[in-house]
Amino acid sequence: MKRTRISRIGLGLLLGLNSACLLAAEGPAVPQPGQSKDDFINQLMGQMTQQEKIGQLRLVSVGPDHPKPVLLDEIAAGTTGAIFNTVVRPGIRDLQDAAMKSRLKIPLFFAYDVVHGHRTVFPIGLGLAASWDMGAVATSARIAAEEASADGLNLTYSPTVDIARDPRWGRVSEGFGEDTYLVSRIAETVVKSYQGKGLDQPGTIMAGVKHFALYGAGEGGRDYNTVDMSLPRMFQDSLPPYRAAIDAGAGAVMVSLNSVNGVPSTANKWLLQDVLRQQWGYKGVLLSDHGAVMELIKHGVAGEPREAARLAIAAGVEMNMNDDLYGKELPELLKAGAIQQSDIDRACRDVLAAKWDMGLFKDPYRYLQGADPVDTDAESRLHRAEARDVARKGMVLLKNQGDVLPLKRNSTIALIGPLADSKRDVMGSWSAAGKAFQAVTVLEGMGHATRGKGALLYAKGANVTNDEEIIKYLNEYNQDVVIDKRSPQAMIDEAVAKAKMADVVVAVVGEAQGMAHEASSKANLRISASQLDLLKALKATGKPLVLVLMNGRPLDLRWESENADAMLETWFSGTEGGNAIADVLFGDYNPAGKLAMTFPRSVGQIPIYYNHLNTGRPFDHEHPNKYTSRYFDSQNGPLYPFGYGLSYTSFSVSDVKLSSAKMHKGDTLTARVTVKNTGKRAGETVVQLYLRDLVASISRPVKELKGFRKVMLQPGESKVVEFPIREQDLRFYDGSLRYASEPGDFKVMIGLDSDDVKEGQFTLL
Ligand code: BGC
C-alpha cells in the first residue's frame, strides 16, 4: 500500500558496492565470551568501512523500489541495515543468508507493523484501550510478540501512543485514545509485554514506539498535517505516553511525519536531541517514518535531497526508512564537511546496539531455528481463546433501552448489515499477518451461538457506501470492499422482509476497515447514507432495533442513539470478533468496556475532550446564558463522554471519603468509595479517579484522570475501592515548563465515567 517512490539510479555506485565487495572477507561479527556490548561494538566499528557504516542506516522494504535480487546484492555487499515487510521465515532467511555473505556478516534485523496482533488479530488500539484492562492489553501484546518472533521478526513499529482528540483522523483507530494517563499506562504495558524480561529471551520483539511526536494532533484531523501546540500542553498532555514507553524500555522510536511548531520532526533537533535524548535519557535507536527524509523537501525546510539527508542525520534520525537518501547522500555530505563522522558513527552504533540487544550477534538466525511451519497460516498457530476474551473486554454498551439486550437464544433474529458477514472488516486495518479467511464474522459468531436454538435470518441490506469515489478510494490497493450489485432498494426490501419475520433486528453497521487507517481522514462522521437509509427502513418495521457498531473512530451517532433500542460499540475486534460479539449480545459475557475517546454530537464540536479548561465563561446547563462558551445550534457536551459504558447490571458509587482534608508534601492521601452492584447479574465496571487543581498559576483542566480500577461484583455485592493520591499526582508543567505542584485546593472526583462523578476536596499545604 505504499507510496514514496524514489529513483534508485546510481545507488549501488554511490554506496560504493564495488569497493566494498573488493575488501577481503573477514570473520563473522560474533561476540567473544564475556565481551561487553560497548567493547564488541567498538571493535566491530573499527573494522567497518564508511560504506558499511552508512549501510547500517538503511531500513528497506522489498518491493518495486527494492527488487529482491538487487537487494540481496546490496545486503551481501554490507550496505543494508534492516528489512521490513517481509514476514515469512523462508523470505527472512534468504535475506539473512545474504547478510552472512557480507564481509563482516553483520546480521540484519527484521521489522513489521505488528500493531494489534500478528497472525491472531486482536481488537484495534482504540478497542483495546476501551477494555481499561492491563491484563488484556498485556495478553494481546505478548501473543503478538510470540507469533511475530515465530515468523522471524525482531522489531515492531508499535505501540502507537499518539494522543488523539480528533476523530476525523483515521489513525485514532490505531492508538489508545485521548487521555494521557490511560494511554501512558497502556504504552508501558505493551512495551513490557513485547520485550518481556529482556530481548534476549525467546518470544520477545523490540518495541518501536511511534510517532514521535504529536502525530495525533494534526490540524483539522487531516493525516500528516501541521501540528502547532503550546509547550505546556505538549509536555503535559501529548509527550508523556512516549516517555512512558521509553521509561518502560522501548528499544526503538519512530519519528513522526508531521511538523511540530514549524519544524518537521524528522529535522527537529530540539525534539530528538534536547527532549528525547537529553531530558529523557533515551538510549535506543531512532527510525524515520516511511520516506520521511525525502519529505523534508516538501515540508519546505530542505531545497534538495542532499540537504534533506543532512538535516535528518544532524537532527539524530538514525535509520532512514525506504527512501535511500542516506545511502546516496551521506558519503558526499561527509566529504564536503557538511556532516561529521560522529553523526554517522553515533547512528551506526545505535543500530548495532539494537542488534546486540535483539541477540542477533549471538545468533543471526535466533528466530529462524528449527523447521519452518509447513503452513504459515495453520490454524494451530492462532490464539483464538485469548483473542475472543480480549475482544469482548473492549466492547462498549452505549445504550440498552428496555433491556433489549441480552438477546434470547430461542428467538428469531434478523441479522442485517453490510458488516455482518465481512471477514476483512472485522479484522480492522493494520491487521499485520492476520488472514481474513480465519476471521469470524458476526453472522458466523451468532450462528455458532444460536445453532439448534432460535432462528437467524440474514440479509446484507446495504453496501457499506454507495459513493463510487469512496469505493474507489477504499479499493485502491486491494479489493477489500465487495459491492453488491443489486439496487439499494432491492437490498433494503430483502432486509425489511427478514426484519418483519423476526422478534428483534440486529444491524451491523459502521465503517469499512479502510475508512479508519492511515491516510483516511474524514470530514463527515455520520455513517454512510446507504446504511442510514437501511436503518430508517428497519426502524419503520417497529421491531426492536439493536445496532452493532463496527468502526475505528468516534462517530456522529445522533440519529442512531435516538432511534435504536440498543447499541454495542465493537470497534474492529479481530480474528475472533464475531464470536466475541455474540458472547456479548447473548449475555454470555457482560460488557464492561468504557470509551477511551469522547463521542461528539457532531463534527462541529471537534476537538472535544473531557479534560478541557474551564474558560472565563463556562457554559452552565442549569443556568444557560448567552455570553458563555457554547454553540447556539448544538448542545455543549458530548454524545457519550470519555470513560462511558453500560453493563447488563447496574452499579452505584457512594460519596467520596478522603483520609484527610489536608496533604503535606510527602503524604499519601486515600480517596475511597464503595461501589455496589445494584442489578441482577455479575459484572465488572471501571471506577475512575479524576482530580482538578482549582486555582493555579495557569488554568488547569476541569478534570484529569489519575487512576482507575476494574472491579468485578456479584449481584448485591459491594467493594471498597481506594485510590492513593500523592503530591506527584498533582504536578503539572507551568507557563515556564517547571514541573511542580502548587499548594491550594484540589477537587477529587470518582465515578463510572468522566461526567458522572462524586466529589470530595482537599488542600495541598
Ligand atoms: C506509517 C508508519 C508505519 C510505516 C511502515 C508509515 O506510513 O506512518 O506508522 O510504521 O509506514 O509501514
Side-chain angles (χ1 to χ4, degrees):
M1 35 175 109
K2 297 284 162 80
R3 41 222 162 204
T4 324
R5 302 292 171 218
I6 308 297
S7 150
R8 303 189 58 264
I9 300 166
L11 175 66
L13 216 72
L14 285 161
L15 286 170
L17 295 190
N18 294 337
S19 56
C21 292
L22 292 176
L23 289 170
E26 299 206 359
V30 178
Q32 299 307 305
Q35 193 176 18
S36 74
K37 173 167 151 182
D38 280 351
D39 191 37
F40 171 75
I41 293 175
N42 286 339
Q43 198 186 345
L44 181 57
M45 284 183 60
Q47 291 173 270
M48 290 171 81
T49 63
Q50 195 67 264
Q51 288 81 7
E52 286 165 335
K53 287 181 181 172
I54 292 172
Q56 286 301 307
L57 315 188
R58 293 180 67 227
L59 173 54
V60 196
S61 169
V62 185
D65 299 329
H66 300 98
K68 193 162 176 189
V70 179
L71 192 55
L72 287 173
D73 286 347
E74 290 175 0
I75 295 169
T79 56
T80 305
I83 303 288
F84 69 108
N85 281 347
T86 298
V87 286
V88 287
R89 287 164 53 127
I92 290 179
R93 186 175 291 105
D94 283 355
L95 296 157
Q96 196 68 298
D97 285 348
M100 292 304 111
K101 289 185 193 134
S102 68
R103 194 177 71 91
L104 294 171
K105 303 184 172 34
I106 298 174
L108 297 163
F109 72 73
F110 296 89
Y112 194 43
D113 288 287
V114 179
V115 174
H116 53 109
H118 181 61
R119 299 227 164 252
T120 309
V121 178
F122 287 87
I124 56 165
L126 198 56
L128 196 60
S131 73
W132 296 55
D133 188 321
M134 296 310 117
V137 170
T139 300
S140 71
R142 181 181 49 76
I143 289 175
E146 280 169 14
E147 292 181 356
S149 58
D151 274 343
L153 296 169
N154 311 104
L155 181 145
T156 168
Y157 298 144
S158 76
T160 302
V161 303
D162 308 313
I163 292 292
R165 292 176 172 174
D166 193 328
R168 290 171 294 186
W169 190 47
R171 299 191 84 169
V172 304
S173 56
E174 196 182 320
F176 306 114
E178 75 185 39
D179 181 65
T180 309
Y181 181 82
L182 180 60
V183 178
S184 299
R185 298 293 74 76
I186 297 174
E188 64 200 16
T189 305
V190 172
V191 169
K192 287 184 182 157
S193 309
Y194 283 155
Q195 300 193 164
K197 292 209 170 72
L199 288 165
D200 53 345
Q201 299 296 306
T204 58
I205 51 172
M206 183 179 275
V209 59
K210 66 191 188 187
H211 304 78
F212 191 70
L214 319 184
Y215 184 34
E219 286 175 0
R222 231 174 56 220
D223 209 354
Y224 319 121
N225 205 6
T226 308
V227 175
D228 208 306
M229 193 185 279
S230 77
L231 292 176
R233 172 168 283 196
M234 191 189 295
F235 277 85
Q236 185 66 28
D237 293 351
S238 288
L239 292 180
Y242 305 104
R243 184 160 193 185
I246 286 159
D247 289 348
V253 168
M254 187 188 292
V255 178
S256 63
L257 293 163
N258 53 282
S259 62
V260 171
N261 295 351
V263 184
S265 302
T266 305
N268 200 321
K269 225 174 189 156
W270 171 78
L271 193 64
L272 305 184
Q273 296 303 319
D274 300 359
V275 176
L276 183 66
R277 296 287 190 193
Q278 267 128 53
Q279 289 182 31
W280 298 1
Y282 176 63
K283 300 263 186 296
V285 64
L286 262 174
L287 318 174
S288 84
D289 201 343
H290 199 283
V293 178
M294 189 65 125
E295 286 173 18
L296 293 177
I297 297 174
K298 292 208 173 134
H299 271 291
V301 297
E304 34 81 36
R306 186 156 300 170
E307 178 63 359
R310 187 189 71 77
L311 285 171
I313 191 89
V317 174
E318 297 178 326
M319 292 197 94
N320 177 22
M321 195 195 288
N322 230 35
D323 69 13
D324 276 339
L325 283 197
Y326 277 11
K328 282 185 196 162
E329 306 295 354
L330 295 189
E332 292 305 315
L333 283 165
L334 197 61
K335 261 191 230 150
I339 59 169
Q340 311 303 313
Q341 183 65 45
S342 56
D343 292 323
I344 291 174
D345 285 353
R346 179 193 58 201
C348 178
R349 182 176 297 278
D350 284 342
V351 175
L352 297 175
K355 293 181 176 182
W356 170 285
D357 293 341
M358 292 168 183
L360 287 166
F361 286 113
K362 279 197 188 136
D363 181 2
Y365 295 93
R366 66 179 290 232
Y367 285 153
L368 300 168
Q369 302 293 4
D372 292 348
V374 181
D375 174 8
T376 311
D377 302 327
E379 178 60 32
S380 59
R381 303 187 83 208
L382 300 184
H383 292 82
R384 288 194 180 272
E386 293 89 341
R388 182 168 179 166
D389 187 46
V390 173
R392 56 197 203 169
K393 287 189 164 138
M395 291 177 191
V396 183
L397 185 63
L398 295 174
K399 181 176 180 187
N400 193 17
Q401 191 173 290
D403 288 341
V404 60
L405 289 178
L407 300 174
K408 291 175 195 63
R409 276 194 158 81
N410 56 3
S411 55
T412 301
I413 300 168
L415 179 64
I416 312 289
L419 299 166
D421 196 27
S422 169
K423 285 181 176 285
R424 178 65 195 93
D425 288 305
V426 76
M427 310 254 288
S429 66
W430 293 116
S431 48
K435 292 288 183 298
F437 78 85
Q438 291 174 318
V440 180
T441 67
V442 185
L443 178 61
E444 290 167 332
M446 290 184 69
H448 301 149
T450 53
R451 190 166 300 143
K453 297 177 184 107
L456 189 61
L457 314 173
Y458 165 72
K460 185 165 177 179
N463 283 311
V464 74
T465 173
N466 288 335
D467 184 320
E468 299 286 342
E469 284 304 307
I470 296 179
I471 295 166
K472 212 160 89 195
Y473 159 82
L474 293 170
N475 285 344
E476 189 171 347
Y477 296 101
N478 303 305
Q479 286 298 303
D480 283 331
V481 177
V482 180
I483 293 299
D484 193 313
K485 292 282 186 319
R486 287 176 290 168
S487 76
Q489 195 54 50
M491 293 174 78
I492 289 180
D493 289 347
E494 183 198 24
V496 165
K498 300 255 162 91
K500 284 183 176 158
M501 288 187 262
D503 300 313
V504 58
V505 179
V506 175
V508 189
V509 292
E511 301 184 284
Q513 56 82 29
M515 292 175 176
H517 186 48
E518 184 180 346
S520 57
S521 295
K522 252 175 157 181
N524 175 357
L525 293 180
R526 304 197 65 183
I527 65 166
S528 63
S530 62
Q531 297 183 82
L532 202 53
D533 289 347
L534 169 67
L535 292 183
K536 287 180 179 163
L538 294 172
K539 172 76 184 168
T541 65
K543 300 285 175 160
L545 180 60
V546 174
L547 300 193
V548 169
L549 295 160
M550 202 180 278
N551 49 279
R553 51 157 65 79
L555 295 173
D556 167 351
L557 297 172
R558 276 170 299 172
W559 186 92
E560 294 78 358
S561 66
E562 278 164 23
N563 290 284
D565 296 283
M567 296 204 294
L568 179 69
E569 176 56 78
T570 69
W571 319 106
F572 296 111
S573 47
T575 307
E576 277 290 304
N579 284 330
I581 291 168
D583 287 343
V584 178
L585 291 178
F586 289 106
D588 300 331
Y589 176 82
N590 188 354
K594 303 275 188 176
L595 298 177
M597 203 172 165
T598 304
F599 273 46
R601 287 177 194 280
S602 67
V603 165
Q605 291 183 308
I606 296 169
I608 181 168
Y609 48 92
Y610 83 93
N611 52 347
H612 56 84
L613 304 187
N614 202 37
T615 81
R617 297 186 178 191
F619 177 70
D620 179 348
H621 295 280
E622 275 151 37
H623 307 102
N625 177 340
K626 178 167 183 181
Y627 290 100
T628 53
S629 185
R630 58 180 289 194
Y631 300 103
F632 73 79
D633 63 348
S634 162
Q635 287 184 43
N636 254 34
L639 188 60
Y640 296 111
F642 173 80
Y644 172 84
L646 303 173
S647 161
Y648 293 150
T649 188
S650 51
F651 300 97
S652 67
V653 179
S654 71
D655 287 340
V656 176
K657 288 213 176 89
L658 291 171
S659 57
S660 167
K662 294 193 171 27
M663 180 195 270
H664 294 93
K665 289 203 171 177
D667 286 355
T668 300
L669 278 191
T670 305
R672 183 177 296 124
V673 290
T674 302
V675 186
K676 183 171 183 192
N677 182 342
T678 51
K680 295 194 178 63
R681 284 171 176 264
E684 278 184 301
T685 190
V686 181
V687 188
Q688 302 158 35
L689 167 78
Y690 298 89
L691 296 179
R692 175 173 181 186
D693 189 343
L694 288 169
V695 180
S697 58
I698 61 172
S699 285
R700 302 286 297 120
V702 294
K703 50 177 72 107
E704 285 178 301
L705 185 73
K706 293 290 176 179
F708 58 87
R709 301 266 183 288
K710 201 164 184 183
V711 285
M712 168 57 111
L713 293 166
Q714 298 303 315
E717 191 190 2
S718 299
K719 269 187 191 157
V720 174
V721 177
E722 290 188 345
F723 294 99
I725 304 175
R726 301 151 313 156
E727 180 269 329
Q728 294 91 296
D729 301 321
L730 312 178
R731 294 181 191 168
F732 64 96
Y733 289 90
D734 69 10
S736 332
L737 291 189
R738 205 176 60 102
Y739 185 63
S741 60
E742 293 178 5
D745 292 339
F746 290 81
K747 213 187 240 187
V748 178
M749 291 155 275
I750 302 182
L752 302 183
D753 67 52
S754 63
D755 257 9
D756 180 15
V757 290
K758 297 285 176 63
E759 298 184 357
Q761 191 161 321
F762 70 89
T763 307
L764 174 69
L765 298 169

